[in-house]
Amino acid sequence: CDSANITSAKIKAILDTGSLTAADKIAALLDGDSLTAADAATHVNSGTYTDALMASAFDSSYLAAAKAASIFNDTNLTLAKAASIFEDENLSLSKIGEIIIHDNISDSRVQEILNETDYETRALTGVSAVINVLSDDWADNKLASRDNRATTPSSIHEENEFSQKFRPEWSSSGDATAANNRLELGPADGEVHITPYINLPKKWEHRWYASSSSNIYYQLFYEDDNNFWASKRRGSSVGSPPTIYCELYKMSGGTSSTPISDVTGTWGEYAKITRDENGNWEVFHTGGSVGTTIDTWLPTNNYFRIWHDGSEHNALVTSSWFKIYDSI
């Protein structure tokens, strides 16, 4: 069946009979040079064989990772079907790893497939610790219809990242605009938000750069106004220079608290907050760690939201990013 004299259509027709029972034989047919990735993807998508048997075929040594990656990369294989095969226990995590890091499948396609899988599958692949990076510098002066070409500090990128989303499409309300290469949130309760990639990641980091003396909330794990975690920057207009606070801010059932707060910073400095799968929080400011706490409470994660609470001055954000990790 590897012969050039046997057409791709004929090999696909053999597979489509549904008469094969050996995963290795299915794998060998899928692996043949004479069967195009597109035709193979169409066959796999047809559901002629169960996901379990197809997963076994993809796991077989008779199907090289290069061909498997090409099949998963082809749009004739729907994301739903690809995800079902990824999730099947007959496809080993090691084989998934070989497929998703192969040059024959694009990073964006990998991410699209993984987004369709359950959390456990994504977390257990172990190929890339960082599943998503969301970054914005607002340098295109837009909140929507973006050019997706943000420039971000090289220090945030790691070799094992395979999904980076720059200048995403924000929804907004209130006094929210992008101008002067920054996000500007005015006194009228300006806010922007985006649906998170993953509901409850094992670990995330959020880093931001603000340049105004006004209250800004980066609401992570945002369920509603009464239930969310946030990283908060706020400044006091009293004194010269003013006192700047960098806080881990918690709103649970309408009751607010600040488990970690640092008052030594100044505007124009980067700050960062991290959380791991065990609820260990840490705030970094002025170049180092300023506090830790343990809290496992998590609300439903409906949005990632940047909000200005309507205090005296405009809130100005010049850059921001957050990383979502599926494995540690």
Side-chain angles (χ1 to χ4, degrees), residues 20 146 158 200 235 291 296 301:
L20 299 174
R146 313 297 297 283
E158 301 174 5
L200 295 177
T296 58
N301 194 21

Side-chain angles (χ1 to χ4, degrees), residues 67-277:
K67 187 61 174 287
S70 295
I71 295 170
F72 275 108
N73 194 56
D74 197 279
T75 55
N76 288 344
L77 178 60
T78 66
L79 295 175
K81 175 60 74 171
S84 294
I85 295 170
F86 264 34
E87 289 177 335
D88 195 279
E89 62 183 11
N90 289 336
L91 181 57
S92 65
L93 295 176
S94 60
K95 193 61 177 244
I96 291 176
E98 293 176 9
I99 293 170
I100 67 178
I101 64 172
H102 201 280
D103 290 342
N104 287 354
I105 188 169
S106 69
D107 291 349
S108 59
R109 178 70 172 179
V110 168
Q111 190 59 60
E112 288 173 338
I113 294 172
L114 289 176
N115 286 346
E116 294 291 321
T117 65
D118 59 27
Y119 172 78
E120 288 76 13
T121 299
R122 295 193 306 271
L124 290 173
T125 56
V127 173
S128 177
V130 183
I131 299 299
N132 287 289
V133 177
L134 178 68
S135 175
D136 211 327
D137 59 3
W138 291 282
D140 61 347
N141 294 320
K142 296 179 180 180
L143 295 178
S145 300
R146 313 297 297 283
D147 62 12
N148 306 121
R149 294 189 302 170
T151 55
T152 55
S154 59
S155 60
I156 76 170
H157 301 306
E158 301 174 5
E159 291 182 358
N160 61 349
E161 292 172 357
F162 60 85
S163 177
Q164 300 176 8
K165 189 172 183 63
F166 297 147
R167 295 179 186 162
E169 300 295 308
W170 295 96
S171 298
S172 63
S173 65
D175 193 358
T177 59
N180 303 309
N181 299 333
R182 64 194 182 193
L183 172 66
E184 299 186 356
L185 302 176
D189 286 347
E191 67 92 22
V192 297
H193 65 269
I194 190 170
T195 302
Y197 290 104
I198 300 170
N199 184 34
L200 295 177
K202 279 194 170 184
K203 178 183 177 182
W204 58 254
E205 295 181 7
H206 174 53
R207 175 171 163 168
W208 69 99
Y209 185 95
S211 57
S212 65
S213 55
S214 190
N215 296 353
I216 309 173
Y217 296 77
Y218 300 88
Q219 294 169 321
L220 303 155
F221 304 111
Y222 174 84
E223 180 174 335
D224 52 41
D225 286 347
N226 292 315
N227 296 279
F228 61 83
W229 280 101
S231 49
K232 179 182 177 183
R233 289 264 283 192
R234 63 188 180 96
S236 168
S237 60
V238 178
S240 180
T243 300
I244 306 302
Y245 298 82
C246 175
E247 299 175 337
L248 173 63
Y249 187 89
K250 178 182 180 180
M251 179 71 76
S252 176
T255 300
S256 65
S257 60
T258 53
I260 304 174
S261 183
D262 170 51
V263 297
T264 62
T266 59
W267 291 111
E269 292 179 328
Y270 277 102
K272 184 173 76 171
I273 286 182
T274 66
R275 179 190 181 276
D276 69 14
E277 61 183 324

Side-chain angles (χ1 to χ4, degrees), residues 1-7 34:
C1 284
D2 279 345
S3 172
N5 293 330
I6 298 182
T7 65
S34 298

